[in-house]
Amino acid sequence: MTTLQKGDLAPNFTSKDQDGITHTLADYKGKKLVVFFYPKASTPGCTAEACDLRDNYARFQANNYALLGVSADNAKAQSNFKNKYEFPFPLLADEDKAVIQAFGVWGPKKFMGKEYDGIHRTTFIIDENGIIQEVISDVKTKAHTSQILK
């Protein structure tokens, strides 16, 4: 699991979003960045989480936050997810798991008694200078905004 913690420098990632546009950590310098990792596009928990962030997007913008969703889904799945729910933020299609591994959110999980490797639902709040301000690993999907914007 993640060894990154508050005070650490965020990993300098580069990845493409649902439209093939490249995003890097440097693109967000001067803004606060919320990077939320979710297991799979269009599943109930991930939809609830992303919709909560979408519904509060104006509050994030008012506080100088940018949002970036990340999963190992391909660009088409991310694009469908984004379009269906009209998310105003990009979703990275991290198929090679480079960003997921860099943030340390890939690892063993348990679901209905089965163990498997997957993405741990984790959110990183990164400040204007690329320093991690908070790591949220106990994500409340329906009330995630209030966990971030306290």
Side-chain angles (χ1 to χ4, degrees), residues 36-56:
F36 66 101
F37 291 90
Y38 56 94
K40 192 155 177 52
S42 302
T43 54
C46 301
T47 301
E49 177 182 6
C51 286
D52 177 62
L53 298 175
R54 174 200 67 199
D55 294 346
N56 291 282

Side-chain angles (χ1 to χ4, degrees), residues 18-32:
Q18 73 288 336
D19 298 322
I21 297 165
T22 300
H23 295 260
T24 67
L25 181 62
D27 295 340
Y28 296 94
K29 193 160 178 56
K31 273 196 174 304
K32 292 177 229 163

Side-chain angles (χ1 to χ4, degrees), residues 1-13 25 35 37 98-105 122-126 130-137:
M1 266 309 290
T2 183
T3 50
L4 290 173
Q5 46 206 343
K6 183 179 171 151
D8 288 348
L9 200 55
N12 191 4
F13 63 86
L25 181 62
V35 182
F37 291 90
V99 182
I100 292 161
Q101 302 275 14
F103 278 86
V105 296
T122 312
T123 296
F124 294 83
I125 303 169
I126 301 165
I131 307 292
I132 296 172
Q133 292 303 298
E134 195 176 349
V135 179
I136 303 171
S137 51

Side-chain angles (χ1 to χ4, degrees), residues 14 17 20 25 29 31 38 43 70 79 95 99-100 108 112-113 127 133 146 150:
T14 300
D17 70 11
L25 181 62
K29 193 160 178 56
K31 273 196 174 304
Y38 56 94
T43 54
V70 187
S79 182
E95 288 185 88
V99 182
I100 292 161
M112 296 177 83
D127 74 8
Q133 292 303 298
S146 55
K150 293 190 189 75

